[in-house]
Amino acid sequence: MQKGQKISVVCIGAGPAGLTAAYILGKNNVKVTVLEKNPVYVGGISRTEIYKGFAFDIGGHRFFSKSQEIETLWKELLGEALLLRSRKSRILYKRKFFDYPLRAGNALRQLGIIETLRCIISYIHVRLYPNRNPQNFQDWVTNHFGKRLYTIFFRSYTEKVWGVPCTQISADWAAQRIKGLSLSKAIWNALWFKKQKQNSKNVIKTLIGSFHYPRRGPGMLWEKTKDRIKQQGNEVLLGMNVVEINLLKDKTWQIITEDPTQKRHEFFADHVISSMPIRELGEILKPTLPKVAKIAAASLQYRDFLTVALITKGKSLFDDNWIYIHDPSVQVGRIQNFKSWSPEMVPDLAYNCYGLEYFCFETDKIWSMPNDELIHMAINEMTQIGLIVPSDVVDGVVIRQPKAYPVYDDHYDTNVKTLQNVLENDYAGLHLVGRNGMHKYNNQDHAMMTAILTVKNILAGYQKYDVWTVNEDAEYHEEDKITSSKDI
Ligand SMILES: Cc1cc2nc3c(=O)[nH]c(=O)nc-3n(C[C@H](O)[C@H](O)[C@H](O)COP(=O)(O)OP(=O)(O)OC[C@H]3O[C@@H](n4cnc5c(N)ncnc54)[C@H](O)[C@@H]3O)c2cc1C
């Protein structure tokens, strides 16, 4: 092993959090090295994979943020390449398409008058006889919208995403995620002809009718950020799997990586910004974590994800950006139509590229199924739900994404807090950022904001900002401490 160069900051992971941190540090003339285990791509879960000229995301990535600071950064890095796209998305349930966001006429037509009446009666019933002590997701949603709307619009998709019955998902989770306007409330509003004002503060962000998107996918942003970091004189090293993180006696850090040939490299830094999953961090951190923190880290759970990208030739049968598949007879949870996200996602407009999303655990059979079987299954399912003609398929490819979602089980919050306390007290100079890095189920803008505030803390030399208070809209809420984060 060669003695590495002394540097100030090492960022673990070249996803949105790690690259944003490095870019902002570079702007402030700090020496930084980004270590990324993926040998090919930067961008982490927000990367864009390329296959024979077809580009696709790990799930379509909308660019939308309530934080002006993040929007400005996206523009700064992408300029004209950041397109404004209008959104078209629908729900497929029992071979019927429901516009999403819902529209009154369409919802009525698709549900039919009988089913609409059933939904209303079931809603009135639950208002009259609510469950006074909702214990789980099913109880909570049924309480708010009635059993029929729960069954049509929540159960199947939620169970596909999380892989457990809705009775095993906490009621807190439902309360947290289904806030403000929900799908069912949207139906309810639609049926009662309430007008939803797009882009008003009352409309939740999943319903916003347009979004920004880089013309060659989110990976384009992260490739450009990588280039800027290099122009700043810093390094983004790919194929560098961090296998040890050691706090040395002089309070600096030693980081050891393994490259794809198993060769080990070492780096030294005053600060480490980590966006790798906390559970893995807990295994490689030295001095070894106290037992309680080690158990807390090891207890964190993740949901994995795989995409089967199908390439077809000829006219597409739909032009949605994506379709939610609420039909329980197929395993696919959502289907992306990448040409609708941006025409530049396909090399030739005569072709289409669909991303079929399967939510799973690494231990599930589907995860280790051979790729040709997965492609075969994807073709069958797309055909069964009427979205392709099988003879149009010309190619397919499978992408697996472990730890796509941090799981919010009953103990995750306590586990994360236990770890956070230990790290803040005993491992000064180690900063957790991002999605799996903080075990927060959030978007790119949130990951970026945690990185920006962490850099500000490092530059300030003390914990000026509490990064854990960044909310899921990437807003920093600790007004008594500081109100603006635009001082660098
Ligand atoms: C299906 C799906 C759809 C999504 N849709 C959207 C959307 O529409 N809009 C949006 O803004 N966000 C979306 N997201 C969320 C977005 O992908 C994440 O919020 C974002 O990528 C998190 O950035 P990050 O840098 O924190 O983590 P990651 O993207 O996870 O990056 C972490 C990086 O660390 C690397 N790493 C891990 N371990 C090591 C190690 N030991 N050594 C070196 N490197 C390591 C990983 O390879 C990875 O590159 C979606 C996510 C999913 C799963």
Side-chain angles (χ1 to χ4, degrees), residues 60-253:
H61 273 58
R62 283 189 295 150
F63 281 57
F64 172 78
S65 184
K66 285 190 178 170
S67 160
Q68 193 50 51
E69 193 169 5
I70 300 293
E71 293 270 357
T72 304
L73 197 50
W74 285 338
K75 276 258 178 271
E76 174 185 320
L77 288 159
L78 283 165
E80 295 303 307
L82 191 60
L83 310 176
L84 181 65
R85 305 293 295 167
S86 57
R87 165 183 173 161
K88 180 173 177 189
S89 56
R90 288 180 294 173
I91 291 165
L92 183 63
Y93 177 72
K94 289 197 174 166
R95 296 189 76 95
K96 287 186 176 163
F97 284 104
F98 294 81
D99 290 344
Y100 184 64
L102 289 152
R103 289 185 301 117
N106 171 268
L108 267 175
R109 254 195 321 277
Q110 300 301 61
L111 279 176
I113 193 71
I114 305 284
E115 188 56 56
T116 303
L117 284 173
R118 283 189 185 136
C119 290
I120 292 170
I121 291 165
S122 132
Y123 177 76
I124 292 170
H125 182 266
V126 85
R127 297 322 295 166
L128 291 174
Y129 308 104
N131 180 341
R132 302 263 170 229
N133 186 19
Q135 296 289 317
N136 54 52
F137 186 93
Q138 177 174 299
D139 293 349
W140 193 95
V141 178
T142 305
N143 243 6
H144 281 74
F145 309 111
K147 187 99 182 180
R148 286 204 88 84
L149 285 175
Y150 158 73
T151 307
I152 296 172
F153 290 117
F154 284 92
R155 189 171 63 191
S156 167
Y157 186 71
T158 307
E159 291 184 350
K160 280 181 188 178
V161 173
W162 295 109
V164 288
C166 286
T167 47
Q168 285 176 29
I169 301 172
S170 78
D172 285 352
W173 166 256
Q176 192 187 337
R177 300 302 300 180
I178 309 166
K179 57 186 180 173
L181 186 64
S182 76
L183 174 60
S184 297
K185 194 165 175 188
I187 287 192
W188 196 244
N189 287 344
L191 295 177
W192 290 104
F193 306 106
K194 273 194 196 167
K195 281 200 179 126
Q196 296 167 25
K197 279 191 195 150
Q198 286 291 311
N199 294 324
S200 85
K201 276 192 175 168
N202 298 328
V203 179
I204 59 167
K205 66 180 173 187
T206 51
L207 299 187
I208 300 287
S210 61
F211 54 85
H212 284 111
Y213 189 72
R215 56 184 173 76
R216 284 285 282 170
M220 186 180 189
L221 167 67
W222 301 116
E223 286 294 334
K224 279 187 184 288
T225 310
K226 179 188 79 180
D227 294 344
R228 294 278 186 103
I229 293 167
K230 288 185 169 175
Q231 283 160 15
Q232 290 167 336
N234 288 318
E235 288 183 302
V236 179
L237 304 177
L238 301 187
M240 287 289 186
N241 185 21
V242 173
V243 291
E244 278 183 40
I245 307 171
N246 304 319
L247 178 59
L248 304 176
K249 287 212 172 74
D250 66 357
K251 301 290 172 206
T252 60
W253 291 86

Side-chain angles (χ1 to χ4, degrees), residues 13 16-17 36-37 44-46 61-62 241-242 434-435 442-444:
E36 167 57 52
K37 76 172 174 186
I45 304 172
S46 304
H61 273 58
R62 283 189 295 150
N241 185 21
V242 173
R435 181 165 163 119
N442 285 331
N443 281 337
Q444 290 176 101

Side-chain angles (χ1 to χ4, degrees), residues 19-35:
L19 290 177
T20 302
Y23 178 55
I24 307 288
L25 283 165
K27 278 188 171 189
N28 286 273
N29 301 315
V30 176
K31 190 93 185 104
V32 54
T33 298
V34 182
L35 303 173

